[in-house]
Amino acid sequence: MRAALSALGISIGIATLIVVTGIPASSQKALLSELSAMGTNMLQAVPVRQDPPVLLPPESVDMADRIGPVTVASAVANTHAEVFRNDRAGAADYAGLTVLAGRADLLRAINGKVASGRFLSADTEKFPTAVLGLAAASSLGIPKITAGRPAPQIYINRRWFTVIGTLEKTPLSPDIDRSVLVGWDAARSLLRFDGHPTVIYLKARESEIEAVRDVLPATINPELPGLVQISRPSDALAAKRATESTFSALFLGLAGVALLVGGIGVANTMVISVLERRREIGLRRALGANRGQIRGQFLTESVVLSGLGCLAGTVLGALATVAYAAQQGWEPVIPLGSVTAGLGGAILIGMLAGVYPSLRAARLTPTEALATA
């Protein structure tokens, strides 16, 4: 019973280690996902507004995409075209809408999502097709695209374009909400688009976002880098980095406390065991066991006791973490480092906790152990 209770003590300590690292890690992952959705790895590049206007080179998007840490680069361009619901509508009715040429990978670069229908692709961007931002869809009276029904059409620069999709709200790029997006190639051939991008959107590895910002102007406009304006990294990036470091420090402190409590419990149990098992120690010594064998016996018992408690605690801690994360709607995260540290720490604690009791037991002579038992 004493051994079972001692193992329960170490298991509670290890379960605490798993819980106090797993639950914050699950919460941290959910929080970091929310912060990432705020554009922590995004930058925008636009030409400085002046007269005459500054034009970014047509190949500037491809040049930005060649920067090592950049994961995706896309762009839109103002075609200066007018859009109407039909060929009889007045120009004033849709004056707030902008017709933009968009690349097929635009949604990846701005964290955009399709609300209905589909987005521009290599199969459609050469043809007179269009995708509507949320506000543009509302203004044009086309809230969604219904499968199985004829696709609606809109009138752009005296040409009919088929609407193939609508977008959800794009909080990171609000200009897209009031835009009508047409294919890059279609804009060239049908709307006299000159190929110069107006806004370049890109994503890069968060750890390199500042370095990418520094080299981006000279990369996309080598002749006039001073006439390129780059957005600064999102404030959410600083918050995300602070969150990561804060949680890491919390994990370390709580894990240390949990292991210390478990180790003290094992050491206490083993010391009491030596005091109460003197008759056994004396009998073994009388039968020929040397001091090394006595030390090995008690040290092994301590390690096995800690190991069994650790295994039970790991299972209990993992189940508790998964249950709590599921209740909160988080994706459960059980740090592998915590499990490894728990197993290794339990073995180490068992060894350290058994050192003094094993040495004390080995020092007892057979006559002393039998006489005081």
Side-chain angles (χ1 to χ4, degrees), residues 79 157 186-195:
T79 64
N157 274 20
R188 283 177 178 270
S189 60
L190 302 176
L191 303 178
R192 298 180 181 180
F193 168 49
D194 58 9

Side-chain angles (χ1 to χ4, degrees), residues 10 12 27 41 77 131 159 176 213 233 274 295 336 355 372:
I10 194 70
I12 291 175
S27 174
N41 61 341
V131 175
R159 289 181 178 272
I176 302 297
R213 184 178 187 272
V274 170
R295 284 195 300 268
L336 180 60
V355 168
T372 58

Side-chain angles (χ1 to χ4, degrees), residues 336-358:
L336 180 60
S338 298
V339 177
T340 304
L343 292 172
I347 302 301
L348 180 61
I349 286 174
M351 294 176 64
L352 294 176
V355 168
Y356 173 70
S358 64

Side-chain angles (χ1 to χ4, degrees), residues 237-248:
L237 178 59
K240 185 175 181 180
R241 289 174 177 171
T243 300
E244 289 174 341
S245 61
T246 300
F247 272 96
S248 298

Side-chain angles (χ1 to χ4, degrees), residues 2-23:
R2 183 183 297 112
L5 292 176
S6 180
L8 178 62
I10 194 70
S11 67
I12 291 175
I14 299 301
T16 302
L17 168 65
I18 301 297
V19 170
V20 300
T21 56
I23 291 179

